[in-house]
Amino acid sequence: MNFIDKLNAAWRSNDSLLCVGLDPDIERLPQHLRDHPEGIAEFCKAIIDATADLACSFKPQIAYFAALGAEDQLETVCRYLKERYPHIPLILDAKRGDIGATARQYAREAFDRYGADAVTVNPYMGFDSVEPYMEWADRGVIVLCRTSNAGGSDLQFLDVGGRPLYQHVAQLVADKWNKNGQCALVVGATFPQELAQVRALVGDMPLLVPGIGAQGGDIEATVKSGRTANGAGMMINSSRAIIYAQPQGGEDFAAAARRVAMETRDAINAHRG
Ligand SMILES: O=C(O)c1cc(=O)[nH]c(=O)n1[C@@H]1O[C@H](COP(=O)(O)O)[C@@H](O)[C@H]1O
């Protein structure tokens, strides 16, 4: 099953648009896992088990593993997800961007090494830097468009022929780059008006929407701005607010993550109709 079909099936089967982000900062893990040689993987596996029935996707952020030389633990997490929850899409967040020959190696890393269903990529270097990922026709290519951070406006808001660059990117991907129907776009939940603009330009193309939770994006405005006619169309990501939900000295971290993931999924679903 290709990425888009798998995502559609996960939206339906879990009745969820929530993407659970796996950003395992070693300094924020429970002490017993900080001291454990496979602590990062154990933490992620526990979060996955606690939230897999509530999520439409999981998104590990590669930097949290690579910074510590813990790519083997990312492999473990990806393998675990694919064996235990093969119906939930795995998005590798790597935001890659380089010339074609190098991009092909990044694509092999994402799709062959980690077995990701989709990867995030940066469009700044143009189509030949994104095309190599498309050789894996059953995988998703998720292109940065209007990112959630304040500094995203520095370039993404520049005027390009009468409209901001992020809209040009959205149109370009929808009209020209998405030849195999495998593309999606990143649009931050912190900018609901721009989210609505992108939705208007790209039809039903899936959108990865980070920025609720720790970054403070408004769930109602996000869902109303980005939903498709059938009340789906988005992977709304929350990472820190879910995975570090454990109150000090309170409940088990995985149970706390489950509680917040459920609240978030339900808050999203309240506005899909
Ligand atoms: O591509 C992304 O996932 C991404 C794009 C963007 O515009 N903003 C953004 O925050 N992200 C990622 O989404 C996650 C957000 O994490 P929280 O702010 O903890 O929910 C991080 O892994 C970011 O790297």
Side-chain angles (χ1 to χ4, degrees):
M1 196 188 281
N2 70 31
F3 167 64
I4 301 289
D5 290 343
K6 197 166 166 179
L7 180 60
N8 271 293
W11 279 330
R12 276 197 304 273
S13 65
N14 277 355
D15 188 27
S16 176
L17 306 186
L18 174 66
C19 173
V20 174
L22 301 172
D23 300 36
D25 181 346
I26 190 82
E27 292 178 2
R28 298 190 69 177
L29 302 196
Q31 188 63 49
H32 72 284
L33 291 176
R34 265 188 261 172
D35 299 337
H36 188 296
E38 296 271 306
I40 298 174
E42 291 302 312
F43 178 78
C44 291
K45 283 157 66 178
I47 298 281
I48 290 168
D49 286 337
T51 59
D53 62 322
L54 305 172
C56 72
S57 51
F58 285 99
K59 184 179 74 69
Q61 202 339 307
I62 195 168
Y64 288 92
F65 300 84
L68 302 179
E71 288 93 339
D72 56 332
Q73 295 191 59
L74 178 56
E75 284 180 346
T76 300
V77 170
C78 294
R79 206 176 319 115
Y80 186 80
L81 192 51
K82 294 183 77 64
E83 283 171 10
R84 299 279 178 109
Y85 307 100
H87 56 293
I88 307 288
L90 163 58
I91 299 165
L92 183 70
D93 184 8
K95 299 186 183 65
R96 298 302 195 196
D98 210 320
I99 61 164
T102 308
R104 192 150 198 290
Q105 303 309 313
Y106 280 139
R108 288 180 62 197
E109 178 195 46
F111 299 143
D112 294 344
R113 180 178 183 189
Y114 296 117
D117 293 297
V119 65
T120 54
V121 301
N122 191 321
Y124 195 72
M125 289 178 71
F127 184 63
D128 63 352
S129 75
V130 171
E131 196 174 19
Y133 299 90
M134 296 173 176
E135 288 171 30
W136 282 257
D138 60 338
R139 310 301 169 94
V141 180
I142 307 179
V143 181
L144 297 180
C145 177
R146 196 327 172 202
T147 58
S148 66
N149 57 317
S153 308
D154 293 350
L155 300 180
Q156 295 156 21
F157 258 35
L158 290 180
D159 188 291
V160 178
R163 62 180 176 175
L165 178 58
Y166 81 88
Q167 289 185 21
H168 184 71
V169 170
Q171 190 93 63
L172 192 62
V173 173
D175 293 353
K176 297 209 171 124
W177 292 12
N178 195 20
K179 291 175 187 159
N180 297 326
Q182 68 192 129
C183 291
L185 293 171
V186 175
V187 186
T190 42
F191 298 103
Q193 282 181 347
E194 287 88 344
L195 181 57
Q197 296 274 5
V198 171
R199 174 55 75 208
L201 288 170
V202 303
D204 286 348
M205 182 182 287
L207 304 178
L208 172 62
V209 184
I212 63 160
Q215 296 180 50
D218 182 79
I219 290 179
E220 179 175 357
T222 297
V223 178
K224 288 184 171 168
S225 302
R227 68 188 173 195
T228 49
N230 68 354
M234 285 184 288
M235 300 156 269
I236 302 179
N237 181 85
S238 179
S239 305
R240 288 165 292 179
I242 291 176
I243 68 178
Y244 308 125
Q246 182 186 34
Q248 282 302 323
E251 61 192 310
D252 164 69
F253 74 89
R258 177 172 180 78
R259 179 175 47 75
V260 174
M262 193 177 288
E263 287 167 9
T264 310
R265 180 203 59 176
D266 292 347
I268 292 168
N269 282 351
H271 304 291
R272 287 172 64 184

